Amino acid sequence: MVVEAETLIVYGDIYLRHLTGLDHPESPGRLLAIMRGLKRFKLLERPEIEVEEPEKARLRDLYLVHSVDYVRLVEDFCLKGGGILGTWGSGVVCCRESFEVALYAVGGVLKAVDDVMDGRFRNSIALIRPPGHHASRDLPYGFCLFNNIAIAAKHLLKRRGVRRVFILDIDAHHGNGTQEVFEEDPRVLYVSFHQDRIFPGTGGIGDVGRGEGEGFKMNFPLPPYTNEQVYLKALEEVVEPILRQFKPDYILVSAGFDAHYLDPLTGLGLSSIGYGMIYGWIRYVAEELTGGMFTAVLEGGYDEEALSTAVPSAIAAMAGLKIEVEDRVQRMPKYLEEAALGVLEEVKKVMAKYWDI
Ligand SMILES: [Zn+2]
């Protein structure tokens, strides 16, 4: 089969219908800002990039990760008009249509993965809402209802003959739900870069997985202001050698854009240029390890200006295109840079128990 285009973007206006109320950071405006950015950089006109509508997931897709009772609870709660679902303080705001939209979020990610697996595209990104990486089997959490990326990984392992999946989570928050789902599973190498000591508080250096999954979970809890130079050093010097030993058949990316220095919820220091560099690295390792196949799944990212440049920068890198991004790499205060490099050394030491590094 001939590849139709380099990069598939899965997007639909259905994702604007998950309404979270005024002043909620996880708003439909996020996706509008991304689409505006893609148009501004004229990326949607490029033959290397294709946009397609999502499909709706089936209930049995959700059951790959979530319990029947939990799925029913979310559906009933939304159909009764919505409100705040979940534990006090970290509940997820839902409207009547949120369950339906969440089905399209899962379906959009599965389409993004299947169209790459089927050879139609080399890589893909699902620009979806609501996000997913905080949701666990029976619990909504941190703006997330269903764990889109965990469902995609299970789908690949169970239905598409994939043996090993690498999940790279570069959202500024630890993907506690994703790690929990695969905590004891050695088929999934989960690597997270997140800001230390912020929500949800999980993802310490020592959280390496349990049972057969021990050594297959890797966490970089980073200090504020951490910039792309540190990310790339960690990716190249710590993650890459382990990846070559793990030999993934597919790569999934929890594509958070809240590590951008403008983000109002977090304090990390990536620039839009840095996002392009990180996605360039992903494209490069995918080339070697999976024949180029990977799928990015939108998670957080709450500053509209940052979204409108960081996402185009990432997508251009995915498609192998060069665009002029007007942003500046941030300098780190010396003591924080040293702290960040200390985290890398610490992770390396912990991982040396399991991998040749
Ligand atoms: Zn986040």
Side-chain angles (χ1 to χ4, degrees):
M1 188 189 270
V2 185
V3 175
E4 293 171 35
E6 196 71 10
T7 299
L8 167 68
I9 297 172
V10 177
Y11 171 78
D13 287 338
I14 178 81
Y15 298 132
L16 305 177
R17 284 156 65 177
H18 167 54
L19 301 176
T20 46
L22 282 179
D23 294 333
H24 194 290
E26 205 293 281
S27 70
R30 301 173 57 224
L31 286 178
L32 295 174
I34 291 172
M35 297 314 281
R36 265 201 313 275
L38 292 172
K39 284 185 194 123
R40 184 155 53 91
F41 287 101
K42 301 194 179 351
L43 284 175
L44 305 181
E45 299 162 21
R46 306 291 294 249
E48 292 87 352
I49 295 171
E50 199 82 53
V51 184
E52 292 190 0
E53 289 278 329
E55 286 152 20
K56 188 168 159 178
R58 298 155 303 177
L59 290 178
R60 62 189 174 96
D61 299 323
L62 304 186
Y63 301 153
L64 287 167
V65 165
H66 301 283
S67 68
V68 175
D69 284 345
Y70 174 62
V71 172
R72 198 170 293 147
L73 172 87
V74 177
E75 181 174 22
D76 288 348
F77 187 81
C78 293
L79 291 181
K80 281 185 191 132
I84 300 176
L85 180 65
T87 42
W88 191 84
S90 63
V92 180
V93 181
C94 304
C95 66
R96 191 177 296 276
E97 288 195 80
S98 294
F99 178 73
E100 179 83 358
V101 179
L103 287 179
Y104 276 95
V106 173
V109 175
L110 294 182
K111 175 184 166 56
V113 162
D114 281 335
D115 284 357
V116 171
M117 283 295 288
D118 293 342
R120 291 187 59 208
F121 304 94
R122 300 247 298 155
N123 56 48
S124 59
I125 182 164
L127 297 174
I128 54 161
R129 293 177 62 245
H133 73 152
H134 295 305
S136 55
R137 184 173 181 270
D138 296 304
L139 207 66
Y141 205 52
F143 313 156
C144 304
L145 287 173
F146 301 120
N147 196 316
N148 308 305
I149 201 162
I151 292 170
K154 288 266 190 185
H155 169 77
L156 284 163
L157 292 165
K158 269 203 165 159
R159 299 171 174 162
R160 300 294 318 235
V162 161
R163 286 161 306 166
R164 283 177 301 277
V165 179
F166 167 45
I167 300 181
L168 176 64
D169 190 329
I170 53 168
D171 189 274
H173 303 93
H174 178 240
N176 60 295
T178 311
Q179 172 147 358
E180 196 181 308
V181 170
F182 297 109
E183 185 72 350
E184 299 187 38
D185 195 336
R187 299 171 303 172
V188 175
L189 177 68
Y190 175 77
V191 177
S192 175
F193 289 78
H194 48 270
Q195 189 178 344
D196 194 16
R197 290 160 210 267
I198 62 167
F199 179 90
T202 50
I205 295 174
D207 296 338
V208 296
R210 276 198 320 267
E212 284 183 28
E214 191 181 330
F216 292 88
K217 311 294 167 277
M218 200 191 312
N219 285 297
F220 294 87
L222 299 163
Y225 294 94
T226 299
N227 67 11
E228 42 271 65
Q229 276 141 14
V230 174
Y231 275 70
L232 287 166
K233 188 175 166 66
L235 290 169
E236 285 164 6
E237 294 177 16
V238 189
V239 179
E240 211 176 300
I242 292 176
L243 266 190
R244 291 215 171 85
Q245 296 162 59
F246 178 68
K247 296 190 176 64
D249 302 308
Y250 205 91
I251 297 173
L252 295 171
V253 184
S254 258
F257 290 88
D258 44 7
H260 193 281
Y261 65 88
L262 286 177
D263 197 88
L265 299 194
T266 70
L268 290 171
L270 289 183
S271 71
S272 295
I273 298 165
Y275 271 104
M277 292 159 83
I278 291 169
Y279 280 80
W281 177 85
I282 297 166
R283 185 178 147 98
Y284 151 78
V285 289
E287 199 72 49
E288 179 189 323
L289 295 166
T290 66
M293 297 192 296
F294 70 92
T295 295
V297 178
L298 184 66
E299 301 282 3
Y302 306 100
D303 182 85
E304 294 192 0
E305 194 189 323
L307 286 167
S308 73
T309 53
V311 180
S313 177
I315 291 176
M318 289 176 69
L321 300 169
K322 291 240 178 309
I323 58 171
E324 240 4 273
V325 178
E326 62 281 10
D327 202 354
R328 223 173 280 140
V329 173
Q330 303 293 298
R331 290 256 307 270
M332 287 183 79
K334 194 90 199 118
Y335 76 103
L336 289 175
E337 188 177 21
E338 278 165 14
L341 295 176
V343 172
L344 267 53
E345 279 314 305
E346 221 26 62
V347 174
K348 221 172 171 175
K349 228 183 275 165
V350 169
M351 281 296 135
K353 199 173 147 198
Y354 311 100
W355 304 93
D356 192 4
I357 178 171

